Amino acid sequence: MQVRLYTLLIIVFIFGCSNEKRFETDQSFLRYTLTSSPENSQNIINTIVLHSAPSTFKNIMVDFDVYQVNYTNKNNGESSEIRYFTLNNGEIYRLGKGPDCIIFSKEIRWNQKGELISNFKSWYEKNSNENKLSIKNPKGASNISRNQKENTTSSLPKKIRKVICK
């Protein structure tokens, strides 16, 4: 009986102390990613509003979730900017409006070694929270090479590709 109790306590301790880096919701993942860069601008995230699929984005019907991120200016406390995002398999895309389509811009960051990171969930699961991602390449190279660019439209599901500006 004591051996079972001891084994159970060890299992509970291991699960309780495990440092699993999972986010409870996509909103918490998005908030963490957008605010974890040390070069944050003068804006802070005020609210994140989820527009669940199906919905509309700038009068275009979409079959994927859209997150509206409302920023507040740090200096004067007024609402200063609204940005729109969608998530796909650990990647974050900023949304913009084209004539009758949506412009997708993949969010990217660099790690401390100067490596380009675009799949944030995978990176966070493998790295410590102390290892921050940067908006700028710490090695100084600001241009992304052709080899580093990924074809974002081919990796996106069909429900997203059908509204992308061509």
Side-chain angles (χ1 to χ4, degrees), residues 2-147:
Q2 283 182 322
V3 173
R4 286 187 188 175
L5 180 60
Y6 180 70
T7 305
L8 179 62
L9 287 174
I10 289 174
I11 292 171
V12 169
F13 178 76
I14 289 171
F15 281 115
C17 294
S18 67
N19 189 13
E20 292 227 12
K21 298 172 193 153
R22 304 221 188 274
F23 295 93
E24 291 180 22
T25 65
D26 282 343
Q27 286 175 315
S28 63
F29 164 67
L30 183 61
R31 181 180 294 276
Y32 182 80
T33 304
L34 295 177
T35 59
S36 66
S37 298
E39 318 90 353
N40 284 336
S41 68
Q42 290 299 318
N43 294 326
I44 57 173
I45 294 176
N46 186 24
T47 59
I48 298 178
V49 178
L50 168 64
H51 300 282
S52 297
S55 66
T56 60
F57 172 75
K58 309 277 183 166
N59 296 324
I60 296 174
M61 287 297 299
V62 294
D63 292 328
F64 52 88
D65 293 343
V66 174
Y67 295 89
Q68 176 182 324
V69 181
N70 300 311
Y71 291 88
T72 302
N73 188 289
K74 287 181 182 179
N75 295 329
N76 61 19
E78 294 180 14
S79 180
S80 59
E81 189 172 358
I82 297 173
R83 296 180 189 163
Y84 298 91
F85 298 91
T86 192
L87 307 175
N88 181 57
N89 295 328
E91 297 176 330
I92 300 173
Y93 294 86
R94 186 167 172 190
L95 305 178
K97 174 76 166 79
D100 289 322
C101 53
I102 300 174
I103 300 167
F104 286 77
S105 175
K106 183 185 264 189
E107 289 287 308
I108 56 172
R109 302 285 190 275
W110 284 265
N111 65 12
Q112 295 169 340
K113 296 177 184 177
E115 299 168 328
L116 190 65
I117 308 296
S118 64
N119 189 316
F120 301 111
K121 279 193 179 180
S122 175
W123 191 86
Y124 289 135
E125 289 172 359
K126 296 175 186 173
N127 293 279
S128 168
N129 287 344
E130 285 87 39
N131 295 333
K132 300 292 184 189
L133 293 177
S134 176
I135 294 172
K136 298 176 184 173
N137 188 340
K139 295 201 172 186
S142 60
N143 292 337
I144 301 170
S145 73
R146 180 169 274 210
N147 292 335

